[in-house]
């Protein structure tokens, strides 16, 4: 804001619970998703995917398929020539890059679901019919179905590389060596695992590619998340200048980290459109979605902590291993990197060393899923903390309170990620406040009386855990604000929408920054590569931090332009002009007002750059009842408290948090990609891959605070999209452990499925009886 | 997941349906609510050349309650059963079981005939049919016949139906007003197929249970009667000791296989717990 203009007493829109602008469109059936699109001459694609997890392709005979009615082409690696691989977008160590995925199986298949051929036909059904007519001869190779076998390197997935372990990522703070552990009064070491599961957006992916032969340009509809990055990748692969690739975003039914990354189809469909000179559309169906979209989590961790008798933490060290599937995709190393960086969580632990190795197996490749690496880390760490607190006779809440990073410690450095040379630090916060608030909302003291009790045949238990959420990832975001002929403002931004409500919150921010009514922000145009010269997209809880602050910058510039123009008209100083309710108002006594439409055509570009990440934080508490005879866990109450620095819209934030908690509960109790020893996915449909639904976990409460703004950006904003999911696994597992304390049941593996819990209870009873 | 190619017919009488099925020699399939068949088409595990839609066959839509019992036309939908106030007293066990079938949307379309013909070992209605000794009326090109529920189910998705036969009616014997019953099911999420479920009833004679029928769902390749558990309660007045015996007998009489969702050992224990809880409901005894 200009220093000379009088500052408004309060923000009108930022901080208000404004209903989402998007919702009217969705609720009246006017949302437009990529599958809704149809253009003249359009053809449809279907993809033949490998049914073999590991094998050498001996031959592909597509002549019968090509001869079928309505089939226009069958594309295989041979038709593409030199098959490009998909570049890493994040954390590209040279070692990891050797495992990039080719856009189509090239000589070998390495997971069930890998694209082998693309059929282009008059309709999607005809294309799918023709898949059966393609004869593929594959010599099956021995399958690498799990981490343990992969690490032996008996069977190598990439012969030329010679190992199944692409890299090990290490993060260090202090010196967590044997000396630190040997001299500690108390130490405990445990092994944990988190199962393979994934972001499963409600809307599967879709693409519509159109080749403009006259201008040698390709338009790809259905882009999201990182359209500018994908434009660069596609331009390179198709040998086109970046300016000849146009990415267009439509409404998106959920991303959660997985949707919008560059996948094989993001090349194959545009390639087919150029090859045939006709628009080609592909809509992913749910069956292929569950083997084609990035999987996630799938880690195991050997974790050890050392502390004083009063629970003060001295050191933490761990060896973790993530099964990243058959290739390293765009962000396939990110979860591993995060595990290394955040396994120590929001706690003051002087000595930390975490080594995370990435392992290749014959499964669907992984990528980021909301809270990547963080959900897994928190499960392991918070579980071990409860075990340690019990050993030491220290109250679980006290244990955390004693060790939380204090406000006076800020900025507090996270362990340094060595290979990638990543340093980051907690920017601001008072972690005790969110913990206390969580305990108060939860009525911890009252409920503690029920902990471990058997009531009406069920074991009751409670738990609380703390977490950090990294967000606001740079490097930059760009925005343009323009005054339209009718005096409304258009906002163009490089951020993307994946359904999280960016149109609403950006309009709030812009309205406040320009001091105009919100209706004046008539269009928020995001995601497509047309709108700004360079955008960075929506990932890592960055849209408000980066896009929002860029809006502030653009608004300030636009206000200056408007004031200068108004000053010229009113023959006064620009500093005398006030912008108020959509008018430029001159100095007293005349106070002549000029409507904004008089300034049509003015526009300003804004940017916000930051190399530092924000860290929001919070605490969650859960109350469960466990039916020991069935292994069923009822979630009786769940409270999530977070501090996000600056709340732009309490309604959309609340939705983010509740949705994230439910996803976390899905990961804690239900969702599991189970593979057999042949690399076949056994839970490949919604009949077997169990998603949480609206009625499964009705008892979730969320409270958001803005006590401690981030010092890193003018708004004080921090990321807020992922916090809700991060601590869930650890908190509910601790609540279950607390409920079953009398039996000594200690969950170390997710998910907490009824059969698994029942089995643990049986085993615990048998041990008790044997004693 | 686009459907494979097939022809479609929508006749209005059972005889036309049978004629169409017979003419296609095992390649045609009746289509009822489509809630099981359409997903199978989408996954291309069913590839019929002709679908014979039953939705216009009016003679399959009745719910009849007579002195002999209840007759459900094959095209009666789950929703219609739950909405029929008469059935709440005429067959409360049926109502209790159907309340666990799938979700609202699916219950609006799924039919009793489709469920019986589909013969999922974890489905509720086949379990009720076996427990209650239902009779299944079918019609084929050779005419009509009636099959006992115990003989009807032969394995997962396998029944005694011939390819030219359709189910026309499911007949449940008369339900005495004073009969005691219980239905307990355990599923991962509400509306999911059962991991295990128990359906049971007994009549009382001078304070003692008799005519006990105990059915188990989801623990074998088809719904089962648990004779040993029935024996454990017949002639007794239900108390904690009897319940414990029935639980143990139920568990001991099944030998479920391991699958991706649960070990056989878990399901074996679970069916005992379901019988125990259903028996408590029937006898009005609280959980201890
Ligand atoms: C998400 C989901 C959850 C479900 N959960 C449950 C559950 O918890 N419990 C449960 O019991 N069911 C469940 N179902 C299945 C549902 O109840 C189905 O409706 C039922 O199994 C089949 O009935 P339908 O009318 O849809 O049959 P359709 O799908 O139309 O047909 C099924 C089969 O029966 C044959 N058929 C249909 N009618 C006749 C007839 N009159 N004579 C001979 N053959 C016939 C068809 O040819 C086909 O082979 C679920 C389904 C879904 C999609």
């Amino acid at each position: 804001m200009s220093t000379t203009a009088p500052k408004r007493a309060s923000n009108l829109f930022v901080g208000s619970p404004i209903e989402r602008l998007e919702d009217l469109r969705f609720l009246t059936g006017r949302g437009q998703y990529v599958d809704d699109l149809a253009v003249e001459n359009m053809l449809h694609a279907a993809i033949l995917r490998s049914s073999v997890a590991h094998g050498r392709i001996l031959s592909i005979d597509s002549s019968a398929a090509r001869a079928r009615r309505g089939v226009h082409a069958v594309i295989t690696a041979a038709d593409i020539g030199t098959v490009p691989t998909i570049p890493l977008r994040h954390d590209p160590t040279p070692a990891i890059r050797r495992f990039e995925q080719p856009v189509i199986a090239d000589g070998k298949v390495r997971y069930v679901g890998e694209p082998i051929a693309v059929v282009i036909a008059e309709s999607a059904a005809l294309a799918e019919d023709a898949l059966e007519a393609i004869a593929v001869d594959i010599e099956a190779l021995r399958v690498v179905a799990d981490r343990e076998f992969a690490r032996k390197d008996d069977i190598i997935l990439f012969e030329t590389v010679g190992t199944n372990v692409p890299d090990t990522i290490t993060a260090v703070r202090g010196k967590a060596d044997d000396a630190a552990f040997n001299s500690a009064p108390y130490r405990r070491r445990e092994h944990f695992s988190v199962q393979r599961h994934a972001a499963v957006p409600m809307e599967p992916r879709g693409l519509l590619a159109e080749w403009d032969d006259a201008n040698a340009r390709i338009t790809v509809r259905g882009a999201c998340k990182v359209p500018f990055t994908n434009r660069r990748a596609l331009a390179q692969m198709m040998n086109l200048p970046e300016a000849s690739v146009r990415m267009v975003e439509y409404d998106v039914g959920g991303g959660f980290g997985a949707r919008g990354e560059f996948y094989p189809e993001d090349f194959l469909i545009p390639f087919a459109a150029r090859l045939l000179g006709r628009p080609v559309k592909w809509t992913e169906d749910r069956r292929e979605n569950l083997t084609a979209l990035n999987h996630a989590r799938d880690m195991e961790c050997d974790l050890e902590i050392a502390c004083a008798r009063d629970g003060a933490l001295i050191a933490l060290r761990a060896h973790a291993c993530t099964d990243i599937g058959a290739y390293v995709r765009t962000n396939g190393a990110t979860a591993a990197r995060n595990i290394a960086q955040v396994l120590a969580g929001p706690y003051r632990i002087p000595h930390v060393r975490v080594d995370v190795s990435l392992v290749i197996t014959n499964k669907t490749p992984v990528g980021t899923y909301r809270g990547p690496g963080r959900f897994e880390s928190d499960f392991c760490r918070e579980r071990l903390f409860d075990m340690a607190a019990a050993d030491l006779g220290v109250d679980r809440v006290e244990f955390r309170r004693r060790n939380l990073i204090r406000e006076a410690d800020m900025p507090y450095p996270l362990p340094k990620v060595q290979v990638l040379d990543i340093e980051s630090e907690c920017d601001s916060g008072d972690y005790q406040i969110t913990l206390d608030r969580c305990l108060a909302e939860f009525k911890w003291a009252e409920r503690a009386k029920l902990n471990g009790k058997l009531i009406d045949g069920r074991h009751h238990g409670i738990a609380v855990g703390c977490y950090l959420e990294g967000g606001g990832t740079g490097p930059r975001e760009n925005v343009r604000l323009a005054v339209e002929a009718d005096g409304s403002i258009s906002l163009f931004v490089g951020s993307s929408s994946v359904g999280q409500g960016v149109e609403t919150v950006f309009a709030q921010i812009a309205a406040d920054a320009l001091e105009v009514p919100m209706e004046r922000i008539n269009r928020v145009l995001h995601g497509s590569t047309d709108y700004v010269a360079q955008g960075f997209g929506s990932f890592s809880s960055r849209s408000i931090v980066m896009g929002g602050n860029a809006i502030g910058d653009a608004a300030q510039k636009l206000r200056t332009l408007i004031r200068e123009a108004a000053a010229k008209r009113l023959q006064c100083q620009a500093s005398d002009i006030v912008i108020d309710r959509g008018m430029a108002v001159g100095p007293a006594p005349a106070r002549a007002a000029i409507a904004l439409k008089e300034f049509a055509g003015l526009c300003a570009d804004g940017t916000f750059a930051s190399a530092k990440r924000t860290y929001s934080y919070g605490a969650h508490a859960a109350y469960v009842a466990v039916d020991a005879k069935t292994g069923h866990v009822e979630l009786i109450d769940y409270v999530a408290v977070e501090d996000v620095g600056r709340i732009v819209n309490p309604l959309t934030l609340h939705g983010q948090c509740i949705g994230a908690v439910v996803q976390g509960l899905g990961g804690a109790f239900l969702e599991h990609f189970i593979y057999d020893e042949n690399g076949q996915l056994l839970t490949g449909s919604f009949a077997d891959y169990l998603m949480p639904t609206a009625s499964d976990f009705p008892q979730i409460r969320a409270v958001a605070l803005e006590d401690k703004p981030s010092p890193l950006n003018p708004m004080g904003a921090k990321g807020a999209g992922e916090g809700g999911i991060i601590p869930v696994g650890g908190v509910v597992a601790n609540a279950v452990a607390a409920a079953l304390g009398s039996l000594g049941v200690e969950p170390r593996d997710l998910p907490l499925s009824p059969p698994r819990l029942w089995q643990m209870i049986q085993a615990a009873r048998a041990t008790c009886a044997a004693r | 997941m686009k459907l494979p190619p097939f022809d479609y017919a929508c006749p209005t009488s059972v005889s036309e349906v049978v004629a169409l099925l017979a003419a296609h020699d095992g390649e045609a399939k009746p289509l009822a609510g489509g809630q099981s068949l359409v997903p199978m088409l989408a996954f291309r595990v069913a590839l019929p050349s002709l679908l014979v839609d039953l939705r216009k066959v009016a003679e399959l839509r009745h719910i009849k309650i007579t002195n002999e019992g209840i007759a459900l036309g094959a095209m009666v939908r789950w929703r219609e059963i739950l909405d029929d106030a008469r059935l709440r007293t005429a067959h409360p066990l049926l109502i209790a079981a159907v309340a666990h079938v799938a979700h609202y949307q699916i219950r609006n379309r799924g039919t009793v005939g489709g469920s019986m013909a589909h013969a999922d070992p974890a489905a509720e209605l086949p379990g009720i049919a076996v427990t209650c000794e239902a009779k299944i009326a079918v019609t084929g090109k050779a005419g009509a016949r009636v099959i006992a529920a115990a003989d009807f189910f032969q394995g997962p998705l396998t029944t005694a139906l011939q390819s030219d036969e359709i189910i026309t009616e499911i007949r449940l014997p008369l339900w005495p007003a004073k009969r005691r019953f219980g239905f307990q099911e355990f599923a991962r999420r509400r509306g999911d197929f059962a991991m295990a479920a128990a359906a049971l009833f007994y009549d009382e004679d001078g304070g003692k249970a008799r005519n006990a029928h105990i059915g188990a769902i989801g623990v074998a390749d088809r719904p089962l009667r648990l004779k040993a558990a029935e024996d454990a309660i017949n002639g007794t007045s239900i108390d904690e000791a009897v319940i414990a015996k029935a639980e143990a007998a139920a568990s001991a009489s099944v030998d479920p296989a391991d699958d991706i969702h649960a070990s056989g050992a878990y399901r074996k224990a679970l069916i005992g717990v379901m019988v125990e809880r259903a028996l408590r409901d029937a006898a009005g005894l609280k959980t201890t």
Side-chain angles (χ1 to χ4, degrees):
Chain A
M1 309 251 151
S2 156
T3 45
T4 44
K7 204 169 152 61
R8 279 219 172 175
S10 67
N11 279 319
L12 288 176
F13 301 110
V14 170
S16 301
I18 291 174
E19 286 187 12
R20 302 201 326 160
L21 303 178
E22 294 90 336
D23 289 345
L24 182 65
R25 179 165 91 235
F26 295 142
L27 294 173
T28 53
R30 286 183 290 122
Q32 179 148 56
Y33 297 87
V34 58
D35 190 47
D36 298 330
L37 303 176
V39 295
E40 220 166 303
N41 257 330
M42 184 169 82
L43 296 172
H44 298 261
I47 294 164
L48 179 70
R49 297 177 184 278
S50 180
S51 58
V52 174
H54 192 197
R56 218 178 302 286
I57 301 176
L58 302 178
S59 67
I60 305 174
D61 181 357
S62 51
S63 51
R66 277 178 225 267
R68 288 179 74 116
R69 177 177 64 92
V71 172
H72 286 245
V74 179
I75 299 164
T76 66
D79 303 290
I80 290 167
T82 310
V83 175
T85 60
I86 300 171
L88 263 85
R89 186 170 71 75
H90 266 171
D91 313 317
T93 72
I96 291 172
R97 295 191 53 191
R98 299 171 298 172
F99 297 84
E100 287 177 351
Q101 176 166 11
V103 294
I104 197 160
D106 190 11
K108 253 189 115 172
V109 289
R110 295 188 177 90
Y111 64 94
V112 169
E114 182 164 4
I116 293 177
V118 187
V119 173
I120 310 293
E122 299 283 341
S123 77
L126 288 176
E128 190 172 332
D129 290 349
L131 295 181
E132 287 152 37
I134 303 173
V136 185
D137 192 7
I138 295 179
E139 176 202 334
L141 299 170
R142 189 148 168 224
V143 171
V144 176
D146 58 53
R147 275 185 286 262
E148 218 167 302
F149 184 61
R151 273 191 287 201
K152 287 191 183 139
D153 276 343
D154 282 352
I155 302 291
I156 299 283
L157 265 59
F158 293 77
E159 287 85 352
T160 53
V161 178
T163 174
N164 295 326
V165 185
D167 210 346
T168 296
I169 297 176
T170 300
V172 172
R173 180 167 70 209
K175 223 167 174 213
D177 54 8
D178 284 345
F181 279 85
N182 291 340
S183 60
Y186 169 83
R187 53 202 274 199
R188 183 156 179 175
R189 179 175 172 184
E190 291 289 341
H191 190 269
F192 300 101
S193 75
V194 176
Q195 85 283 13
R196 177 172 276 251
H197 58 289
V200 184
M202 189 170 316
E203 183 204 10
R205 289 176 297 152
L207 293 164
L208 169 58
E210 292 166 84
W211 174 248
D212 169 359
D213 206 38
N215 298 300
R217 276 172 62 93
I218 188 98
T219 298
V220 182
R221 301 175 196 279
C224 68
K225 186 178 178 180
V226 284
F228 290 87
T229 314
N230 290 356
R231 174 174 70 172
R232 195 174 322 128
L234 182 60
Q236 235 154 54
M237 291 180 196
M238 292 187 75
N239 225 337
L240 292 168
E242 254 184 69
S244 302
V245 177
R246 188 173 159 236
M247 297 280 186
V248 188
E249 182 183 274
Y250 288 82
D251 284 324
V252 176
F256 311 114
R259 195 173 167 177
E261 290 295 333
F262 201 105
Y263 288 90
E265 299 82 4
D266 291 277
F267 169 82
L268 296 172
I269 305 305
F271 178 86
R274 180 168 69 178
L275 186 75
L276 296 170
R278 284 180 65 173
V280 175
K281 179 160 122 178
W282 168 72
T283 304
E284 182 180 54
D285 68 34
R286 187 60 73 187
R287 179 163 51 160
E288 57 185 343
N289 170 268
L290 293 176
T291 58
L293 199 73
N294 286 339
H295 286 183
R297 312 295 195 225
D298 206 348
M299 67 89 88
E300 62 182 336
C301 181
D302 186 349
L303 175 62
E304 185 173 21
I305 54 171
C307 46
R309 284 271 143 209
D310 65 356
L313 285 156
I314 298 165
L316 175 152
R317 64 181 171 187
H319 283 275
C321 179
T322 60
D323 174 347
I324 64 167
Y327 298 98
V328 179
R329 282 193 178 161
T330 50
N331 51 18
T334 302
R337 184 255 281 160
N338 283 353
I339 291 169
Q341 204 180 25
V342 305
L343 191 53
Y347 300 99
R348 256 176 313 126
I349 311 177
H351 304 289
V352 176
R353 182 189 171 103
V354 182
D355 296 287
V356 188
S357 41
L358 292 84
V359 161
I360 295 276
T361 61
N362 289 119
K363 296 181 195 158
T364 294
V366 305
T368 55
Y369 166 30
R370 205 174 201 171
R374 302 169 188 278
F375 176 89
E376 302 91 300
S377 297
D378 275 41
F379 167 69
C380 306
R381 181 190 67 240
E382 296 292 322
R383 275 271 47 226
L384 188 55
F385 280 6
D386 268 19
M387 294 180 186
D391 287 349
L392 292 165
V394 176
D395 176 73
R396 291 178 287 163
V397 177
E398 271 321 302
F399 186 93
R400 290 177 172 80
R401 211 186 281 291
R402 185 155 302 161
N403 289 298
L404 279 175
I405 297 168
R406 296 162 307 196
E407 193 171 16
D409 302 327
M410 298 290 171
Y412 189 82
L414 296 185
K416 181 177 176 184
V417 185
Q418 295 188 325
V419 202
L420 295 157
D421 207 22
I422 298 173
E423 288 186 83
S424 192
E425 55 192 27
C426 301
D427 50 343
S428 67
D430 185 335
Y431 299 177
Q432 306 280 351
I433 293 180
T434 43
L435 174 58
D436 286 337
R437 180 66 182 269
C438 182
L439 296 170
E441 295 283 340
F442 186 75
K443 296 199 166 53
W444 179 272
E446 211 168 287
R447 284 195 167 144
K449 294 175 199 137
L450 303 173
N451 191 50
K453 295 265 157 62
L454 186 62
I455 304 164
D456 289 340
R458 294 191 307 166
H459 301 264
H460 290 238
I462 59 173
V464 66
C466 306
Y467 72 95
L468 271 186
E469 176 194 357
T473 301
R476 199 163 43 255
E477 197 52 86
N478 298 320
V479 163
R480 165 172 299 169
L481 287 169
V483 184
E484 301 292 347
D486 60 356
S488 67
I489 307 287
S490 293
L491 187 154
F492 304 87
V493 57
S495 310
S496 284
S497 169
V498 284
Q500 76 275 49
V502 297
E503 290 168 39
T504 307
V505 294
F506 282 171
Q508 289 176 259
I509 294 168
D512 272 5
L514 289 168
E515 302 201 24
V516 298
M518 230 177 110
E519 311 82 75
R520 281 296 179 97
I521 314 296
N522 81 329
R523 298 192 303 167
V524 177
L525 298 160
H526 50 79
S528 301
T529 52
D530 297 347
Y531 300 138
V532 291
Q534 189 61 256
F536 295 85
S538 289
F539 55 92
S540 190
S541 297
R542 71 187 299 280
S543 295
I544 286 186
V545 178
M546 303 307 293
N549 282 295
I551 292 172
D553 182 46
Q556 186 178 334
K557 288 176 180 152
L558 186 61
R559 288 162 53 88
T560 304
L561 292 177
I562 291 171
R563 290 218 309 272
E564 280 167 8
K568 212 175 257 173
R569 298 254 298 257
L570 297 175
Q571 309 219 327
C572 61
Q573 295 295 313
S575 56
D576 292 337
I577 303 288
V578 179
I579 299 176
D580 186 20
R581 270 159 285 179
M583 307 283 241
V585 182
R591 295 198 188 283
I594 309 176
L596 274 191
K597 66 177 173 208
E598 302 292 322
F599 306 107
L602 285 185
C603 78
D605 287 323
T607 189
F608 181 71
S610 173
K612 289 191 169 179
R613 310 190 75 194
T614 62
Y615 287 90
S616 33
Y617 54 90
H620 287 196
Y623 174 20
V624 302
V626 185
D627 180 346
K629 293 189 88 175
T630 62
H632 178 256
V633 179
E634 188 200 342
L635 186 70
I636 297 176
D637 191 19
Y638 196 97
V639 173
V641 175
E642 62 185 337
D643 190 316
V644 299
R646 181 67 171 275
I647 300 169
V648 177
N649 187 329
L651 278 183
T652 56
L653 178 61
H654 189 257
Q656 284 288 323
C657 187
I658 300 289
V661 171
V662 173
Q663 272 188 319
L665 292 166
F669 289 114
L670 294 165
E671 299 177 45
H672 195 176
F673 285 124
I674 301 172
Y675 280 84
D676 69 8
E677 67 281 4
N678 298 316
Q680 296 292 335
L681 179 61
L682 303 179
T683 51
S685 83
F686 280 167
D688 296 314
Y689 186 83
L690 309 177
M691 300 286 295
T693 62
S695 56
D696 290 317
F697 301 109
Q699 315 295 353
I700 302 167
R701 299 184 282 147
V703 174
L705 306 177
E706 47 184 351
D707 288 341
K708 304 288 170 185
S710 173
L712 302 177
N713 61 77
M715 288 177 67
K718 298 181 174 189
E722 301 173 89
I725 202 171
I726 292 169
V728 179
V731 170
V732 296
N734 278 339
V736 167
L740 299 173
S742 60
L743 299 169
V745 168
E746 297 282 10
R748 290 174 176 84
D749 311 286
L750 292 181
L752 301 168
S753 69
R756 175 180 270 163
L757 266 183
W758 176 84
Q759 182 58 48
M760 292 177 69
I761 292 164
Q762 295 302 109
R765 288 213 165 110
T767 335
C768 284
R771 276 210 205 104
Chain B
M1 298 187 84
K2 298 284 178 219
L3 303 189
F6 52 80
D7 289 328
Y8 174 84
C10 194
T12 53
S13 70
V14 169
S15 55
E16 285 169 273
V17 172
V18 168
L20 281 164
L21 294 178
H24 278 76
D25 218 15
E27 294 291 306
K29 277 228 157 242
L31 172 67
Q35 299 302 294
S36 298
L37 182 53
V38 174
M40 290 176 80
L41 295 172
F43 278 106
R44 298 187 180 226
V45 290
L47 296 162
S49 61
L50 172 72
L51 285 191
V52 184
D53 196 338
L54 304 183
R55 80 192 151 91
K56 290 192 177 161
V57 184
E59 59 198 292
L60 299 177
R61 313 209 64 143
H62 55 277
I63 299 180
K64 278 189 206 136
I65 301 173
T66 65
N67 291 340
E68 275 158 45
I70 292 157
L72 303 171
M75 283 301 284
V76 168
R77 301 185 197 270
W78 304 125
R79 169 97 270 128
E80 290 159 354
I81 292 177
L82 294 173
D83 284 351
D84 193 318
R86 300 171 303 163
L87 285 175
R88 278 174 228 158
T89 45
H91 212 297
L93 179 61
L94 174 69
I95 297 292
V98 171
H100 285 269
V101 175
H103 318 105
Y104 183 84
Q105 292 87 337
I106 293 157
R107 290 201 296 266
N108 283 341
R109 304 215 111 230
T111 66
V112 298
S115 178
M116 297 291 284
H118 189 60
D120 190 304
E124 286 81 2
L125 186 68
I128 293 299
V130 167
T131 308
C132 297
E133 298 181 84
K135 299 251 188 308
I136 294 112
V138 308
T139 302
K141 77 174 177 237
R145 60 179 180 131
V146 173
I147 310 169
D151 303 325
F152 185 78
F153 300 104
Q154 301 185 337
L157 316 191
T158 316
T159 68
L161 277 178
Q162 301 294 313
S163 63
D164 62 303
E165 282 180 329
I166 62 161
I167 299 172
T168 52
E169 195 173 85
I170 292 118
R171 298 174 188 156
L172 291 161
L174 191 71
W175 181 271
K178 289 196 167 161
R179 180 166 275 176
R180 292 190 164 269
F181 72 96
F183 186 86
Q184 282 280 338
E185 170 165 327
F186 186 72
R188 292 293 295 274
R189 298 168 304 182
R190 176 132 197 102
D192 278 344
F193 276 103
M195 292 192 89
L200 61 82
F201 67 81
Y202 59 87
D203 298 316
E204 277 177 322
D205 204 353
K208 302 246 190 283
R210 57 168 202 86
N211 189 34
H213 283 55
I214 302 183
I217 295 165
V219 290
D221 66 349
R222 69 194 85 173
L224 300 177
R225 279 276 292 279
L226 304 177
K227 295 282 183 198
E230 293 171 357
D231 291 345
I233 69 171
N234 273 330
T236 71
S237 48
I238 313 284
D239 58 14
E240 290 301 327
V242 172
I243 291 175
K245 253 195 211 159
E247 173 176 354
S251 229
S253 35
V254 301
D255 190 13
D258 294 344
D259 65 27
I260 46 169
H261 293 299
S263 65
Y266 174 75
R267 282 209 165 84
K268 196 172 166 69
L270 190 60
I271 192 63
V273 178
M274 294 298 106
V275 166
E276 176 237 346
R277 291 180 181 175
L279 201 46
R280 277 183 200 286
D281 290 346
L285 287 172
K286 280 198 75 176
T287 319
T288 48

